[in-house]
């Protein structure tokens, strides 16, 4: 790492300052959290004074830049950390990415010679190992991602040169690339063609034999149809091999990155949850051995609690850690794995016309395409592990993050349950969505709105939408409307999605018996119950009632509260869920059945209370 001002190298201080600067350089114009900087500087073992020492490091770097003649702050403080503001300055990694992007556009317009020149310019920026003079496990992992981008660019450059008839010049480069990345099939195909066109047919066949051995050992798979067809063509000495174009490798981060939803326009809090997700990067950095799968995180929570916003915010924040692409699919909205897989393969550069016909073959192609790459895959709204089995990337450098309403029994490195926002964060969200002055003028009222919304982000957004469209309303007027429990969900069902629609989607996923239990929760006068009370509601056994309550917990439509001294579990019904349950009860159960259930519950409470009232 070096910093130049007017061509002169600047001394950037001691090892800690160099680590801090390297972390900021790896994420230009993006916030790097203090927690992430702490992990990089002290490798997971920070002192109690780490925050103070980081502030001293940043202050020292600012002095260096100022002394070098930078009029503005190169490093700016932006909670929860710091950001390197590139401004008019240049970062060679950014220039590299821009040149590669330009080359990609030129390839798309069939201007191969110009594209190859841009890639040559991009590759000329590399002067050695990435940040190999900076001692930090976190940085070395991030640096490996940059090096993977370099190798991808080399693959494309060599393929373009081959298409331009410069096959002898690229044999050495392609051989090195295949040695570094033995599972990259496009590089192997290009090397086989380069050998063949250079009169080395035996070497071309040897490259295929090595591919078969590597793929069998590492993945338990045969090489792709592309390599097998090329092998057959070489055996048959097909004349097409001397003139047919070689399809360029098209697994570029930019193609897949478009699938990731944009950063949520308003996002607050969730510091602990983001830190928990950051552990996925740490686990991935540690590695888990050859042949192992991706790092997996599971984020669960009830409808409307903000799982998607959390994961989308985190995924955009760490996107640069996955240079080979970021893939996203809402599998609740589109539950067909074949359609999602087609979308993913398209993002990875596989033309639909070139994809295999059989679904199993397309799954194998996806496994090969991700085997040696660092891909982030986000699957939103997972119903069951079986639903997404064909969408799991193969590479151990990849990461799979799932959101679900259920805590599935599956192997994960991070499991995270998302709850409602605390009061302060909920008020902050209202400030972002409405108007800081409008909320600040009556913070007590804003806290009441947050409480009536249960701290649920979807409900808070709906409440904010009401206030934005009704600029003449005061917060107090909305509070009066929200206090009417019979119409609260009406008030909170504005915008997309509304709170009622979110709860309805969860309710419709229940089995008929569990749905009946959910509806009858609307009869409760208190927010808590146990299996005995639930049994009275449905006139069933205590064991069966507990099973149904646990099904509701699994569906995130009920919360397991605590186990009492009597060994009986208590369950809690969040307010908005209770209101929705009451609506469903009134719409789907007759008045007579409701009265019968209400009477059974009354008798149960009388029996429980009777012993305590005896002398």
């Amino acid at each position: 790492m070096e910093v130049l001002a007017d061509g002169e190298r600047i001394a950037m201080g001691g090892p800690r300052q160099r680590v801090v600067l390297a972390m900021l350089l790896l994420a230009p114009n993006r916030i790097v959290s203090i927690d992430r900087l702490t992990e990089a500087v002290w490798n997971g073992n920070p002192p109690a004074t780490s925050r103070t020492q980081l502030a001293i490091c940043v202050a020292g770097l600012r002095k260096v830049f100022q002394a070098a003649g930078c009029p503005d702050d190169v490093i700016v403080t932006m909670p929860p950390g710091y950001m390197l503001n590139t401004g008019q300055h240049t970062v060679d990694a950014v220039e590299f990415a821009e040149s590669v992007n330009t080359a990609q556009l030129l390839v798309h317009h069939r201007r191969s010679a110009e594209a190859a020149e841009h890639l040559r310019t991009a590759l000329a920026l590399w002067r050695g190992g990435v940040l190999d003079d900076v001692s930090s496990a976190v940085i070395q992992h991030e640096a490996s991602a940059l090096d993977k981008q370099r190798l991808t660019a080399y693959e494309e450059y060599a393929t373009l040169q081959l298409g331009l008839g410069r096959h002898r010049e690229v044999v050495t480069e392609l051989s090195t690339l295949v040695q570094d990345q033995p599972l990259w099939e496009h590089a192997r195909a290009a090397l086989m063609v380069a050998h063949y066109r250079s009169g080395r047919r035996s070497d071309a066949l040897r490259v295929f034999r090595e591919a078969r051995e590597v793929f069998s050992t590492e993945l338990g798979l045969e090489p792709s149809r592309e390599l097998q067809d090329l092998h057959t063509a070489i055996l048959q000495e097909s004349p097409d091999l001397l003139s047919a174009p070689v399809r360029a490798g098209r697994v570029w981060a930019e193609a897949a990155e478009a699938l990731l939803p944009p950063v949520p326009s308003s996002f607050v809090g969730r510091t602990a949850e983001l830190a928990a997700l950051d552990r996925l990067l740490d686990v991935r950095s540690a590695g888990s051995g050859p042949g192992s799968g991706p790092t997996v995180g599971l984020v669960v929570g009830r409808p409307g609690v903000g799982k998607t916003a959390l994961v989308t915010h985190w995924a955009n924040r760490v996107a640069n850690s996955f240079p080979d692409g970021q893939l996203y699919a809402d599998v609740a909205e589109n539950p067909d794995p074949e359609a999602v897989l087609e979308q993913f393969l398209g993002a990875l550069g596989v033309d639909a016309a070139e994809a295999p016909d059989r679904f199993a073959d397309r799954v194998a192609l996806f496994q090969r395409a991700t085997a040696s790459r660092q891909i982030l895959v986000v699957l939103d709204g997972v119903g069951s592990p079986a639903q997404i089995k064909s969408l799991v990337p193969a590479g151990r450098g990849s990461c799979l993050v799932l959101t679900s309403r259920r805590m599935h029994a599956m192997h994960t490195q991070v499991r995270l349950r998302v709850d409602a926002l605390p009061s302060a964060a909920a008020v902050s969200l209202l400030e972002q969505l409405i108007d800081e002055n409008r909320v600040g003028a009556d913070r007590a009222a804003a806290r009441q709105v947050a409480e009536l919304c249960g701290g649920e982000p979807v409900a808070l957004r709906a409440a904010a939408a009401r206030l934005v469209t009704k600029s003449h309303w005061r917060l107090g007027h909305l509070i009066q409307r929200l206090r009417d429990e019979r119409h609260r969900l009406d008030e909170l069902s504005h915008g997309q999605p509304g709170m009622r629609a979110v709860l309805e989607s969860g309710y419709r996923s229940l089995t008929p018996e569990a749905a009946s239990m959910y509806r009858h929760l609307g009869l409760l006068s208190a927010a808590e119950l146990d299996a005995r009370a639930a049994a009275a509601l449905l006139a069933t056994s205590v064991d069966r009632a507990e099973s149904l309550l646990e099904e509701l917990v699994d569906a995130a439509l009920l919360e397991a509260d605590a186990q009492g001294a009597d060994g009986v579990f208590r369950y809690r019904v969040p307010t908005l869920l209770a209101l929705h349950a009451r609506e469903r009860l009134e719409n789907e159960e007759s008045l007579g059945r409701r009265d019968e259930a209400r009477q059974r519950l009354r008798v149960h409470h009388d029996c429980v209370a009777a012993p305590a009232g005896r002398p």
Side-chain angles (χ1 to χ4, degrees):
M1 180 180 71
E2 65 179 15
V3 178
L4 303 176
D6 295 327
E8 296 293 327
R9 184 168 181 170
I10 303 172
M12 299 310 300
R16 289 177 185 169
Q17 286 188 195
R18 291 174 62 79
V19 170
V20 171
L21 180 59
M23 288 293 290
L24 296 174
L25 285 168
L26 286 166
N29 300 313
R30 292 198 303 117
I31 300 172
V32 181
S33 70
I34 290 176
D35 290 342
R36 192 73 175 146
L37 290 172
T38 300
E39 173 70 19
V41 173
W42 286 282
N43 291 314
N45 189 28
T49 59
S50 60
R51 285 179 173 264
T52 301
Q53 293 189 45
L54 277 178
I56 293 172
C57 287
V58 170
L61 288 170
R62 285 171 172 161
K63 288 181 180 178
V64 170
F65 283 121
Q66 289 169 0
C70 298
D72 301 318
D73 281 343
V74 178
I75 301 175
V76 295
T77 302
M78 295 192 70
Y82 301 96
M83 183 181 77
L84 183 81
N85 181 20
T86 57
Q88 299 300 312
H89 312 292
T90 59
V91 180
D92 53 4
V94 174
E95 290 188 326
F96 169 81
E98 290 174 350
S99 293
V100 170
N101 290 342
T102 301
Q104 183 185 20
L105 291 173
L106 290 168
V107 168
H108 179 72
H109 292 289
R110 303 183 183 278
R111 295 160 62 181
S112 298
E114 294 173 73
E117 184 61 24
H118 276 276
L119 287 174
R120 187 193 65 77
T121 300
L123 292 167
L125 292 168
W126 292 77
R127 297 172 287 104
V130 185
L131 298 173
D132 56 5
D133 58 342
V134 181
S135 178
S136 168
V138 173
I139 285 176
Q140 290 310 312
H141 173 71
E142 297 289 341
S144 69
L146 267 175
D147 198 53
K148 185 67 69 66
Q149 293 180 37
R150 175 182 65 87
L151 294 174
T152 301
Y154 263 123
E155 178 188 44
E156 182 73 6
Y157 175 68
T159 304
L160 289 171
Q161 291 285 78
L162 187 60
L164 294 168
R166 303 164 185 168
H167 39 270
R168 293 184 185 275
E169 291 92 325
V170 298
V171 166
T172 300
E173 291 174 329
L174 284 170
S175 297
T176 302
L177 182 57
V178 167
Q179 185 176 3
D180 288 341
Q181 302 294 329
L183 297 175
W184 284 19
E185 291 185 289
H186 288 304
R188 281 191 178 274
L191 179 57
M192 289 169 66
V193 173
H195 276 311
Y196 186 82
R197 291 182 180 177
S198 300
R200 304 189 188 107
R201 181 167 174 262
S202 61
D203 287 337
L205 295 172
R206 174 183 51 78
V207 172
F208 179 79
R209 289 195 301 271
E210 292 171 352
R212 174 168 280 168
E213 181 179 349
V214 168
F215 273 82
S216 175
T217 302
E218 292 287 333
L219 302 177
L221 297 170
E222 283 291 308
S224 67
R225 176 59 58 189
E226 177 189 13
L227 279 184
Q228 293 185 44
D229 289 347
L230 181 56
H231 177 244
T232 300
I234 292 172
L235 287 174
Q236 296 174 350
E237 298 188 1
S238 170
D240 291 340
L241 289 174
L242 297 176
S243 57
V246 178
R247 186 165 70 92
R250 287 176 288 175
V251 185
W252 294 40
E254 289 74 19
E257 190 174 357
L259 296 187
L260 199 61
V263 178
S265 58
S266 52
F267 185 84
V268 298
R270 305 299 194 196
T271 302
E273 291 88 344
L274 291 170
L277 289 172
D278 281 342
R279 289 204 299 271
L280 291 169
L281 301 179
D282 300 332
V283 172
R284 188 183 70 143
S285 298
S288 48
S292 60
T295 306
V296 181
L298 175 62
V299 178
V300 300
R302 62 178 173 268
V305 81
K307 303 181 294 295
T308 299
L310 168 67
V311 170
T312 300
H313 179 85
W314 178 82
N316 279 278
R317 194 180 72 167
V318 303
N320 285 355
S321 296
F322 299 93
D324 296 315
Q326 306 91 42
L327 306 176
Y328 171 90
D330 183 346
V331 293
E333 184 73 20
N334 183 9
D336 181 7
E338 293 196 29
V340 175
L341 184 61
E342 181 179 349
Q343 181 186 26
F344 282 4
L345 288 173
L348 291 169
V350 178
D351 194 304
E354 300 172 356
D357 293 332
R358 293 177 62 245
F359 178 62
D361 291 338
R362 291 200 294 274
V363 173
L365 176 61
F366 180 67
Q367 293 288 297
R368 286 193 296 268
T370 58
S372 61
R373 306 195 183 271
Q374 298 181 76
I375 297 283
L376 172 62
V377 177
V378 177
L379 299 177
D380 200 4
V382 173
S384 70
Q387 179 189 13
I388 51 94
K389 184 170 63 173
S390 59
L391 305 173
V392 178
R396 62 180 179 271
S398 294
C399 182
L400 174 67
V401 179
L402 316 172
T403 74
S404 179
R405 294 170 183 171
R406 301 175 182 270
M407 188 67 80
H408 300 292
M410 58 185 297
H411 178 67
T412 61
Q413 283 74 34
V414 171
R415 285 174 175 258
L416 174 62
R417 183 176 292 279
V418 181
D419 294 315
L421 289 170
S423 178
V427 171
S428 295
L429 182 58
L430 288 174
E431 285 181 317
Q432 290 188 16
L433 293 169
I434 308 169
D435 181 279
E436 185 175 352
N437 295 328
R438 195 172 173 190
V439 172
D442 195 348
R443 299 192 73 80
R447 285 192 292 270
Q448 289 184 58
V449 172
E451 182 180 352
L452 290 166
C453 291
E456 308 284 350
V458 168
L460 290 163
R461 292 177 187 277
R466 291 294 277 159
L467 291 169
V468 168
T469 57
K470 301 290 185 181
S471 58
H472 57 286
W473 283 10
R474 293 182 179 272
L475 270 67
H477 183 68
L478 178 61
I479 290 170
Q480 290 179 1
R481 298 173 71 94
L482 290 175
R483 281 177 176 160
D484 182 352
E485 291 188 347
R486 297 191 63 83
H487 297 100
R488 188 181 303 175
L489 288 180
D490 292 331
E491 298 295 331
L492 299 179
S493 293
H494 294 267
Q496 293 295 328
M499 194 66 203
R500 181 182 283 113
V502 169
L503 294 173
E504 195 70 18
S505 66
Y507 170 67
R508 295 301 175 191
S509 70
L510 297 172
T511 62
E513 201 173 1
S516 178
M517 175 63 77
Y518 176 79
R519 291 193 297 271
H520 282 81
L521 296 179
L523 290 172
L524 299 174
S525 57
E528 293 185 352
L529 81 161
D530 59 22
R532 295 170 298 191
L537 282 173
L538 289 193
T540 189
S541 68
V542 174
D543 287 345
R544 183 58 188 155
E546 183 175 299
S547 295
L548 294 174
L549 291 174
E550 289 296 331
E551 186 175 337
L552 294 180
V553 171
D554 291 341
L557 292 173
L558 187 66
E559 294 181 353
D561 194 9
Q563 187 174 18
D566 55 2
V568 178
F569 280 103
R570 266 69 174 178
Y571 300 86
R572 193 179 75 83
V573 191
T575 303
L576 297 181
L577 272 71
L579 296 179
H580 180 255
R582 186 182 304 168
E583 281 189 0
R584 292 294 93 220
L585 182 75
E586 293 176 354
N587 288 338
E588 299 184 38
E589 300 284 354
S590 68
L591 180 60
R593 291 174 65 89
R594 280 181 267 156
D595 288 342
E596 290 172 3
R598 191 177 288 110
Q599 178 61 24
R600 289 193 300 269
L601 185 63
R602 188 179 299 115
V603 170
H604 165 74
H605 286 320
D606 289 344
C607 291
V608 171
R614 290 174 183 168

